[in-house]
Amino acid sequence: SLAAFQATDADLRADFAGLESRADVANLLRVPKSFLTSVLYRDGVDSYYKQWEIRKKAGGTRTITAPSSSLYILQFRLNRVLQAVYNPRPCVHGFVRNRSIVTNAREHLRKKYVLNVDLEDFFPSLNYGRVRGVLMARPFSCGIEAATTMAQIACVGGALPIGGPTSPVLSNMI
């Protein structure tokens, strides 16, 4: 269950340091390696997704691709870990703890012009290779197998999904 995953940020950062293998990732997420392997390889992550459309304020629709059941638990836990290990730059406000559209807006008070844009298909534009690469790069420095495993947990169809719990933090990391 989700409630069973309790750890401090300091514990998660310590457990994250030096990740090398799929077994290390399973231990980090507090799941049996056999469960993780089953979700990723026997069932395949794509089988755990559901899709639906929502209307955009400016018109048109956005397709949400969200994980269900076992994959959701893995992504929820991985998101918790990534939130603990990621140290966002001061200019990053979206999807960051204790920051919001309000803290972002404060930075722009009394400015003559403010431009607000929505990048079309932003999460899906961040592919599996970039996710894996950021996890292998400094400051995260995960081993190839561990980074591959986490990228497999986070991506569907080779990219970050709109609706995945890990997509916001990973997009900020990238």
Side-chain angles (χ1 to χ4, degrees):
S1 83
L2 296 176
F5 188 67
Q6 296 181 8
T8 66
D9 283 0
D11 289 339
L12 293 174
R13 283 190 293 272
D15 292 347
F16 188 85
L19 288 177
E20 291 293 331
S21 67
R22 186 178 326 123
D24 292 342
V25 174
N27 288 333
L28 173 71
L29 301 179
R30 316 298 199 266
V31 297
K33 182 182 173 194
S34 59
F35 171 79
L36 179 58
T37 301
S38 175
V39 170
L40 295 180
Y41 301 110
R42 190 194 66 176
D43 301 333
V45 294
D46 291 0
S47 69
Y48 286 96
Y49 281 92
K50 53 189 173 192
Q51 285 190 329
W52 67 92
E53 290 191 352
I54 60 171
R55 292 194 174 278
K56 294 182 183 182
K57 281 193 290 185
T61 60
R62 180 183 320 273
T63 301
I64 305 297
T65 305
S68 60
S69 62
S70 301
L71 182 60
Y72 178 81
I73 290 169
L74 292 174
Q75 285 191 5
F76 178 88
R77 291 178 179 194
L78 181 57
N79 179 54
R80 174 80 173 77
V81 170
L82 295 174
Q83 293 283 344
V85 300
Y86 172 57
N87 185 22
R89 296 187 318 219
C91 64
V92 177
H93 289 265
F95 310 109
V96 174
R97 290 180 190 167
N98 302 316
R99 299 185 196 173
S100 65
I101 59 172
V102 173
T103 61
N104 182 44
R106 279 190 204 123
E107 300 293 321
H108 300 90
L109 286 175
R110 292 182 276 295
K111 302 295 185 210
K112 189 171 183 177
Y113 299 102
V114 176
L115 176 65
N116 183 24
V117 297
D118 181 18
L119 300 175
E120 186 174 354
D121 297 326
F122 175 64
F123 289 149
S125 75
L126 301 173
N127 66 37
Y128 168 87
R130 291 187 73 186
V131 172
R132 183 174 173 258
V134 77
L135 293 167
M136 290 189 303
R138 287 182 161 185
F140 309 108
S141 304
C142 295
I144 293 170
E145 186 178 322
T148 298
T149 300
M150 289 185 283
Q152 289 172 321
I153 292 169
C155 293
V156 63
L160 290 178
I162 299 171
T166 54
S167 295
V169 69
L170 282 165
S171 69
N172 281 343
M173 291 165 67
I174 292 169

